[in-house]
Amino acid sequence: MGKHKQADLHAVELAAATPPTPPARSNASFLKDHLRDYGMLLSLVIIMGFFQFMTDGTLMQPLNLTNLILQNSYVVIMALGMLMVIVAGHIDLSVGSVVGFIGALAAVLIVNYDMNFLAAGAVCLLAGAVIGGAQGYFVAFFHIPSFIVTLAGMLVFKGLTLALLQGQSVGPFPAGFQRLSSGFIADPINMGDLRLTSLLVGVALVCVFIVMHIRARAKQARHGMVDEPLAVFLGKNALLAAVIVYFSYLLATYRGMPNVLIVMAVLIVAYSFVANRTVIGRRVYAVGGNEKASKLSGIKTERVTFATFVNMGVLAALAGLIFAARLNTATPKAGTGFELDVIAACFIGGASASGGVGKVMGAVIGAFIMGVMNNGMSIMGIGIDYQQVIKGLVLLAAVFLDVYNKNK
């Protein structure tokens, strides 16, 4: 009898230690419950297909694809920072003006004072952090609404840009600085018209993404938390791999991968890790979801809010450097309206206007939806007036769907 009791006790302990297996879910049920996550990606594919057809294949030509990346790089970079601000429950209307101001500062330092462009870039990034910190301090510690603080910042930095440039354009920049935006990665492997290095970088990126996803799924399986059906998991990763390799091939047939694309890829991976795997990332979501509960649980909510604005300032400064390098000059009107595209990208990508909800890849997809629409409508010859109308309606529809799903 004693042996039987020990065997039963061992079986009970083993069952307690083994994580419960979640109930199997159908592919349709899973996709329905995660429509918000996959809907934007599907929308991007549909929009690209539509403009590819309407422009007689011009949209996906290597030259236009390269221009699409260069034209939207600064929007994607700022969308990463804006997402953190919005998730924390705030908004930043000053980013467009900060882009213009940082570009002007870089031009004055590099062109007028002959400062090394690397040192000037470091100064500009530090200036962006100070700008973000100043605005974040008023929001976090004085509890002034971020809308008011950053609206004031928009006006302040527009004025400072005009004062710094004295109402005139300043340029050109040295070739080394221009390569930040208009340069391409080196191709030591000579294959004629095909830049093999860029293609291999794309393949390596696919391998990294797939390994990361497999490891994440294995970790979920060890804890009995796998919710995504295997067919959906395999289909999603196969599609992702095919798209990245195909786009890498298209870019490799022109001039290869732009330097700014590598910068974007590194930032996207870094911010995905921060948002999903770090303490500060979880705290940003907690503060945006319920600030009072977060404070009661011991989170320094003021510091979290302050950090999101500092981060936004640095990314806006980086975007300002990239935009100035692309134009090869600093102009008083640089950055005008950028804040609208950046905020729209986050909301279209699934971020909630009330805070606490949003994903990094969603913001990136939202930015490219805006970019593809701008590029496609320009190729079709649609005037800027109607472009603004269409983008406004798309933004309104995205926010309406978010509110409707939340109420439902």
Side-chain angles (χ1 to χ4, degrees):
M1 290 293 292
K3 292 182 178 179
H4 288 297
K5 288 183 177 179
Q6 289 181 352
D8 292 341
L9 181 60
H10 178 70
V12 171
E13 292 175 347
L14 184 62
T18 303
T21 302
R25 301 181 62 186
S26 67
N27 297 335
S29 173
F30 178 84
L31 291 175
K32 181 180 178 181
D33 293 342
H34 293 77
L35 185 61
R36 183 174 189 164
D37 296 334
Y38 296 99
M40 286 300 103
L41 182 59
L42 181 61
S43 299
L44 177 59
V45 172
I46 292 173
I47 291 171
M48 291 189 71
F50 171 77
F51 282 113
Q52 175 73 355
F53 174 76
M54 295 300 295
T55 60
D56 296 325
T58 303
L59 180 73
M60 296 292 292
Q61 288 183 359
L63 172 60
N64 189 66
L65 203 59
T66 301
N67 288 334
L68 188 64
I69 293 171
L70 297 179
Q71 289 168 1
N72 293 279
S73 56
Y74 42 86
V75 176
V76 173
I77 289 171
M78 285 192 288
L80 298 175
M82 186 65 73
L83 177 71
M84 295 292 102
V85 173
I86 291 174
V87 166
H90 301 285
I91 200 75
D92 191 342
L93 300 177
S94 68
V95 291
S97 298
V98 173
V99 165
F101 173 74
I102 293 298
L105 179 61
V108 169
L109 293 177
I110 296 172
V111 178
N112 292 352
Y113 290 96
D114 293 324
M115 180 181 286
N116 179 272
F117 67 90
L118 293 176
V123 171
C124 289
L125 292 178
L126 180 61
V130 172
I131 291 169
Q135 296 187 127
Y137 189 82
F138 285 107
V139 175
F141 296 101
F142 288 96
H143 303 289
I144 302 175
S146 57
F147 181 90
I148 301 300
V149 172
T150 57
L151 180 61
M154 175 196 291
L155 300 174
V156 167
F157 293 109
K158 275 186 178 179
L160 289 178
T161 301
L162 287 169
L164 203 57
L165 296 177
Q166 298 180 351
Q168 298 179 347
S169 298
V170 176
F173 291 104
F177 182 75
Q178 293 179 46
R179 280 195 288 270
L180 174 63
S181 177
S182 58
F184 296 82
I185 65 173
D187 184 35
I189 307 174
N190 189 2
M191 291 286 291
D193 293 335
L194 181 67
R195 297 184 177 270
L196 189 59
T197 303
S198 295
L199 181 58
L200 293 177
V201 168
V203 173
L205 189 61
V206 165
C207 294
V208 170
F209 272 116
I210 290 177
V211 169
M212 288 174 59
H213 289 172
I214 291 175
R215 291 183 62 182
R217 184 179 176 87
K219 184 177 180 180
Q220 290 177 343
R222 287 196 300 269
H223 295 85
M225 297 173 60
V226 174
D227 185 48
E228 185 178 39
L230 181 61
V232 175
F233 175 78
L234 293 176
K236 179 183 70 175
N237 284 279
L239 180 61
L240 176 67
V243 169
I244 293 178
V245 171
Y246 178 63
F247 275 80
S248 300
Y249 170 76
L250 291 178
L251 293 173
T253 59
Y254 177 54
R255 296 181 63 186
M257 283 193 176
N259 293 334
V260 73
L261 179 60
I262 304 301
V263 174
M264 284 167 48
V266 170
L267 289 175
I268 290 169
V269 172
Y271 277 83
S272 296
F273 177 81
V274 169
N276 299 324
R277 303 290 184 87
T278 65
V279 173
I280 183 62
R282 289 192 290 270
R283 286 179 176 176
V284 170
Y285 282 89
V287 170
N290 192 322
E291 184 175 2
K292 291 183 179 179
S294 300
K295 184 182 285 288
L296 291 174
S297 66
I299 296 176
K300 306 275 187 192
T301 57
E302 291 86 0
R303 293 184 182 180
V304 173
T305 298
F306 179 77
T308 60
F309 277 92
V310 172
N311 173 69
M312 182 71 257
V314 173
L315 291 182
L318 177 59
L321 294 173
I322 291 172
F323 186 68
R326 175 167 169 74
L327 291 183
N328 196 24
T329 186
T331 65
K333 292 186 177 181
T336 301
F338 281 10
E339 62 278 350
L340 303 179
D341 283 341
V342 174
I343 293 170
C346 293
F347 286 141
I348 290 173
S352 174
S354 57
V357 176
K359 291 187 176 181
V360 169
M361 285 309 301
V364 174
I365 291 170
F368 276 110
I369 286 177
M370 296 292 292
V372 169
M373 289 175 58
N374 287 334
N375 185 266
M377 289 188 291
S378 297
I379 295 173
M380 291 174 62
I382 298 176
I384 190 67
D385 46 359
Y386 288 106
Q387 289 188 32
Q388 299 295 333
V389 171
I390 293 171
K391 289 194 294 182
L393 293 175
V394 169
L395 174 59
L396 181 61
V399 177
F400 170 78
L401 288 175
D402 171 63
V403 175
Y404 175 78
N405 290 329
K406 185 179 295 184
N407 292 337
K408 186 177 179 181

